Amino acid sequence: MNPILQTNSLTKVYGDTSALDKVSLCLQPGRIYGLIGQNGSGKTTLMRIIAGLAFPTGGSLELFGCLEEKQIHRERKRLGCLIEYPSFIPSMTAKDNLRLHRIMRGIPNEEIEDELLNIVGLTDACKKKAKDFSLGMKQRLGIALALLGDPEFLILDEPINGLDPLGVVEIRNLLKKLCQEKHKTILISSHNLPELYQIATDYIVIHQGEIKEIITLQQLEEHCQHYLRLECDNLEKLAAIIETKLGTENYKVMPDGSLRLYDYLDDRETIMREFFENGIIITNCSREGDSLEDYFISVIGGVKNV
Ligand code: ATP
């Protein structure tokens, strides 16, 4: 499958600030990419460049297989963006705002207005003017505007910011549905990894303009899965006892000679008794594994102010 977006050493310098530093990425269709970084790490700058709202000072990007600037400009019609603040007229309702954008973009299908209001959960607010919206409602309207024109690639800058817990779940489900059922590709940013956890299929960690890590949800879960780290004098026998006496194969023998047991985390007494009765001397049994936040901090190099 051809990538939706490829960037090659994309760089953006503002005066003496390096907002993006040689960013090379490849986004595949039908996936949700979570762009995670602290405030000022370069998330919005990257999104603005992809959307054509800012220009790189170095490097290049390829959108839907097009490299040439004129072609990229044309291909941007296939994008739907919510970057920084959604642009709507405060004195108009959500539906009127949608209509205005629909007409400006030459989209004939009138029914799409109600459909989108329904999708983002704004149907009940049909009489309210946008200026009286809560932050969460404004975000929902921004997402609806980004969805106009049925874009293949959605770029959403902190869309979850300001949503209440129920709103977060609704938007999470909406984005997953768009990805799974309509095969859309989504790039979504946040400064908070737990917030994006389980929305994204892939996570891109950016710090001070540099990409520090690109990791799948499965790899992230492996990193953050908690386990009991066991050390003993006979690893083979330990593994056999775990399988036969404790009835689980949910363990991994590590190259450093320890064993990770992913079950029985809260029942150490049972396992220690079993090991003892079978003549195994455990020299270490500790609960280990990163939290999402610990993991993020370790990737960006230990700054503890996220
Ligand atoms: P936040 O989470 O706070 O929105 P961000 O990760 O989106 O942050 P950017 O807005 O991309 O970060 O900013 C990256 C860096 O570039 C910051 O140091 C910022 O001050 C700087 N920057 C961004 N836009 C400009 C601009 N127009 N002029 C000068 N510096 C800028």
Side-chain angles (χ1 to χ4, degrees):
M1 246 186 294
N2 291 332
I4 293 283
L5 171 82
Q6 218 163 341
T7 69
N8 180 25
S9 285
L10 210 59
T11 298
K12 178 76 179 177
V13 177
Y14 290 108
D16 53 9
T17 304
S18 174
L20 285 186
D21 189 8
K22 298 195 186 78
V23 167
S24 294
L25 286 176
C26 181
L27 307 192
Q28 297 294 342
R31 301 193 70 82
I32 303 178
Y33 291 89
L35 181 62
I36 314 287
Q38 295 173 290
N39 294 130
S41 55
K43 304 180 296 296
T44 306
T45 303
L46 176 61
M47 290 179 150
R48 283 174 58 82
I49 290 176
I50 300 168
L53 302 171
F55 293 95
T57 45
S60 62
L61 73 87
E62 198 175 319
L63 189 64
F64 295 108
C66 297
L67 247 174
E68 205 262 316
E69 189 47 48
K70 261 193 192 154
Q71 288 177 327
I72 292 178
H73 182 67
R74 198 188 56 219
E75 295 300 316
R76 285 201 174 102
K77 290 201 174 74
R78 296 160 75 181
L79 298 184
C81 302
L82 166 59
I83 298 180
E84 290 172 325
Y85 307 102
S87 68
F88 49 73
I89 312 275
S91 58
M92 284 167 51
T93 63
K95 186 165 175 167
D96 288 344
N97 268 291
L98 274 170
R99 177 161 305 159
L100 180 70
H101 279 256
R102 179 179 65 74
I103 292 167
M104 282 193 314
R105 293 171 57 183
I107 300 163
N109 176 10
E110 236 179 87
E111 298 85 68
I112 193 75
E113 296 164 13
D114 285 329
E115 260 171 53
L116 287 175
L117 288 178
N118 186 30
I119 282 177
V120 300
L122 277 180
T123 306
D124 291 345
C126 59
K127 291 204 174 109
K128 223 176 207 178
K129 291 183 175 157
K131 68 177 159 65
D132 300 324
F133 278 7
S134 67
L135 180 56
M137 290 165 84
K138 286 177 185 162
Q139 296 289 60
R140 287 165 196 257
L141 176 54
I143 294 172
L145 291 171
L147 285 170
L148 261 176
D150 202 18
E152 288 160 66
F153 181 19
L154 269 176
I155 300 179
L156 306 172
D157 191 10
E158 311 238 8
I160 288 172
N161 199 2
L163 294 180
D164 54 47
L166 191 62
V168 173
V169 174
E170 283 173 8
I171 296 300
R172 176 181 291 161
N173 291 342
L174 166 65
L175 298 181
K176 280 185 179 174
K177 206 168 151 193
L178 288 169
C179 173
Q180 284 160 5
E181 292 178 11
K182 301 204 165 187
H183 207 61
K184 295 196 187 299
T185 309
I186 302 172
L187 178 64
I188 174 175
S189 74
S190 175
H191 54 267
N192 183 359
L193 180 55
E195 190 177 83
L196 281 197
Y197 180 59
Q198 292 198 336
I199 296 183
T201 54
D202 301 78
Y203 296 80
I204 302 165
V205 180
I206 185 166
H207 184 58
Q208 295 176 348
E210 272 181 58
I211 302 298
K212 292 289 182 187
E213 179 134 85
I214 303 175
I215 188 172
T216 64
L217 172 61
Q218 196 186 341
Q219 290 166 328
L220 179 67
E221 285 183 330
E222 274 169 23
H223 271 293
C224 298
Q225 195 176 5
H226 283 214
Y227 55 88
L228 290 176
R229 178 188 160 91
L230 298 168
E231 287 171 45
C232 73
D233 55 349
N234 188 341
L235 216 55
E236 248 174 64
K237 193 171 170 193
L238 179 68
I241 303 257
I242 288 173
E243 286 190 29
T244 55
K245 303 286 181 186
L246 298 177
T248 176
E249 289 181 17
N250 198 9
Y251 70 87
K252 219 184 249 176
V253 175
M254 303 308 291
D256 67 357
S258 68
L259 182 146
R260 291 183 179 184
L261 178 61
Y262 298 97
D263 290 336
Y264 292 93
L265 267 71
D266 297 317
D267 191 8
R268 287 192 222 191
E269 204 183 311
T270 300
I271 63 165
M272 293 309 269
R273 194 181 326 113
E274 207 61 65
F275 297 149
F276 178 74
E277 283 172 5
N278 286 280
I280 292 200
I281 303 191
I282 297 288
T283 50
N284 177 50
C285 174
S286 52
R287 190 185 169 118
E288 294 186 10
D290 278 347
S291 69
L292 286 172
E293 201 171 63
D294 290 339
Y295 170 72
F296 174 71
I297 290 164
S298 72
V299 169
I300 66 168
V303 189
K304 193 140 188 153
N305 59 348
V306 284

